[in-house]
Amino acid sequence: MIEQALRKYLIAAPAVAGFIGERVYPLVIPQGGKTPCITYQRSGSNRHKTTCGTNRLVGARVKLDCYSKTYIQAQDLAAAVWQELRDFSGDMQGVEVNDLSLELDLDLSDMEPGLYRQSQTYLIWYYES
């Protein structure tokens, strides 16, 4: 699945791992989880149809939220993620990515006091196995 491939890819990226180590979590920061960290969430998928039926090409929207205790560090982490993912195509930890693009990035407030969040939504076109 693209979510696990993206998680592994970010953990293996030196510029990102320098901030977070292996702290990339599905959906929410676990209780007692440390920052800085990243959460990921797939917000939908679109299967590509042809006249012969549905093929293996999938477009998935994946939201990455970069959390930190300082606004600047959350921004720096989001910039490092963007640098690693920008214009990516090819093998992503065993998943063939056709195209990856940033659709939206924004600052968000967080309900948890003392945390800053930079949110990025990516559209990732990849081939299912």
Side-chain angles (χ1 to χ4, degrees):
M1 294 181 60
I2 192 63
E3 301 96 294
Q4 287 85 359
L6 183 58
R7 179 185 185 277
K8 290 176 187 174
Y9 182 80
L10 291 172
I11 288 170
V16 176
F19 281 100
I20 61 168
E22 294 192 6
R23 294 185 303 270
V24 181
Y25 308 114
L27 303 174
V28 297
I29 302 170
Q31 190 168 6
K34 296 181 181 181
T35 61
C37 66
I38 297 172
T39 62
Y40 62 91
Q41 169 182 325
R42 186 180 52 80
S43 59
S45 294
N46 180 15
R47 270 52 184 185
H48 188 258
K49 286 192 85 147
T50 67
T51 55
C52 298
T54 304
N55 68 14
R56 295 178 38 236
L57 186 60
V58 178
R61 278 194 174 71
V62 179
K63 185 173 95 163
L64 299 176
D65 287 327
C66 299
Y67 289 91
S68 184
K69 292 186 180 188
T70 70
Y71 180 73
I72 297 298
Q73 190 173 48
Q75 283 185 317
D76 290 346
L77 175 55
V81 169
W82 166 236
Q83 288 300 318
E84 287 297 331
L85 297 179
R86 179 185 192 160
D87 300 324
F88 182 89
S89 65
D91 179 68
M92 179 181 280
Q93 302 294 322
V95 174
E96 183 183 350
V97 173
N98 185 17
D99 185 60
L100 188 152
S101 58
L102 178 64
E103 288 192 318
L104 178 69
D105 64 335
L106 59 138
D107 297 346
L108 292 170
S109 59
D110 199 85
M111 296 185 327
E112 184 68 32
L115 287 183
Y116 294 89
R117 177 170 46 150
Q118 299 284 310
S119 185
Q120 300 172 330
T121 301
Y122 290 90
L123 177 58
I124 306 171
W125 287 97
Y126 69 99
Y127 292 95
E128 282 185 315
S129 302

